[in-house]
Amino acid sequence: MTKGGMESVEVFTTEGKGRGLKAQKEFLPGDVIFAEPAYAAVVFDSLTHVICHTCFKRQEKLHRCGQCKFAYYCDRTCQRAAWLNHKNECSAIKRHGKAPSENIRLAARIMWKIEREGSGLSEGCLVSIDELQNHVDNFGEEEKKDLRTDVESFLEFWPPHCQQFGVQFISHIFGVINCNGFTLSDQRGLQAVGVGIFPNLCQANHDCWPNCTVIFNNGNHEAVRSMFHTQMRIELRALAKISPGDELTVSYVDFLNVSEERRKQLKKQYYFDCTCEHCKKQVKDDLMLAVKEGESKPSADTVKEVIQFSKDTLEKINKARMEGLYHEV
């Protein structure tokens, strides 16, 4: 099992798709290609009182921040680890009188990090926040209206004594969140509990049949000797054998959808036309449609094949996930 670092990948420019990630060495199924902590992350509005704001684990009893009464933590370890990112948020919530929505909170955390470190390359990042795609130019009328509302709410929440940002840059950050936000799950991996920005992961292009999967890791409180003691992070893991020079791909959408539905979703949310082999050749569409149409009952063989196809793929992804749990130090 390899522990991934950023030296094992490189950013390259792909024809028609912008930037992408390429492997610098060989990886076997289950290997960690790289691990990446969030540049910034927040718990969803509906779960702020039941999920730890540092490691995103669900706990029975959480400690509440005595200052803002908004943030909750597993224990003192998580609370201490959160302070750098929560300090400004804490006083802003007190000043504002309430916590704003998750989008505003995530944008604000990104801005405070930029205030501390600048908007250039952060440590361990292959690209800067400035360079991330925002697709604001592709927004429709409804999306532009939502963006204006978010910018206004952000400016109401943002403290006057903090570094001031122009509307164009604030819009860029909201655009980045809109098309690059990665959903975080609880420790069981069953419920989406928050959203984060991971600049390196953002560089991986989509494929409907990817060679990598993203595993969310909540950190390990017992791993005293580990650099990942409580650090919440994503891990990009190989699903198949990957050779040096191969492009690293992940799936942005549900692989069990038919190609037309996948392409619609990718166009709507990520503003591109998928040209992967599975979409061009409409691989497995006949199978998926045979089950989906429902006009006539699909044959037993068709049902069996769809179930097997789904099981094989999910097993592949689950195997990569479990490898991660077994190899936690």
Side-chain angles (χ1 to χ4, degrees), residues 76 82 140 194 231 249 277 289:
R76 296 287 172 220
Q231 191 186 67
T249 57
E277 287 302 300
L289 284 168

Side-chain angles (χ1 to χ4, degrees), residues 12 74 115 130 159 191-192 199 227 252 274:
F12 74 109
C74 293
E115 186 180 52
D130 287 355
Q191 187 185 13
M227 65 181 281
Y252 297 175
C274 189

Side-chain angles (χ1 to χ4, degrees), residues 3-5 35-37 123 219-220 223-233 328-329:
K3 278 287 179 195
E36 180 182 16
E123 190 185 349
N220 184 344
V224 177
R225 292 164 300 159
S226 167
M227 65 181 281
F228 296 131
H229 173 51
T230 59
Q231 191 186 67
M232 173 271 288
R233 68 208 185 269
E328 269 304 317
V329 179

Side-chain angles (χ1 to χ4, degrees), residues 102-143:
E102 62 221 22
N103 256 19
I104 313 301
R105 287 185 286 117
L106 184 54
R109 282 189 168 221
I110 291 169
M111 303 292 197
W112 279 312
K113 186 153 183 164
I114 290 169
E115 186 180 52
R116 288 196 307 271
E117 301 177 3
S119 62
L121 273 182
S122 283
E123 190 185 349
C125 285
L126 297 168
V127 294
S128 69
I129 285 289
D130 287 355
E131 295 174 283
L132 294 180
Q133 286 276 9
N134 65 50
H135 291 299
V136 169
D137 293 342
N138 302 107
F139 279 17
E141 278 313 306
E142 199 58 40
E143 289 168 309

Side-chain angles (χ1 to χ4, degrees), residues 4-16:
M6 294 321 299
E7 67 284 348
S8 56
V9 299
E10 69 169 330
V11 177
F12 74 109
T13 305
T14 63
E15 202 178 323

Side-chain angles (χ1 to χ4, degrees), residues 23-42:
Q24 293 272 61
K25 54 183 261 194
E26 183 180 88
F27 293 100
L28 299 175
D31 278 353
V32 178
I33 295 165
F34 64 79
E36 180 182 16
Y39 184 88
V42 293

Side-chain angles (χ1 to χ4, degrees), residues 233-247:
R233 68 208 185 269
I234 59 93
E235 290 171 355
L236 187 71
R237 288 178 177 269
L239 281 176
K241 185 180 173 184
I242 295 170
S243 302
D246 285 355
E247 182 175 3

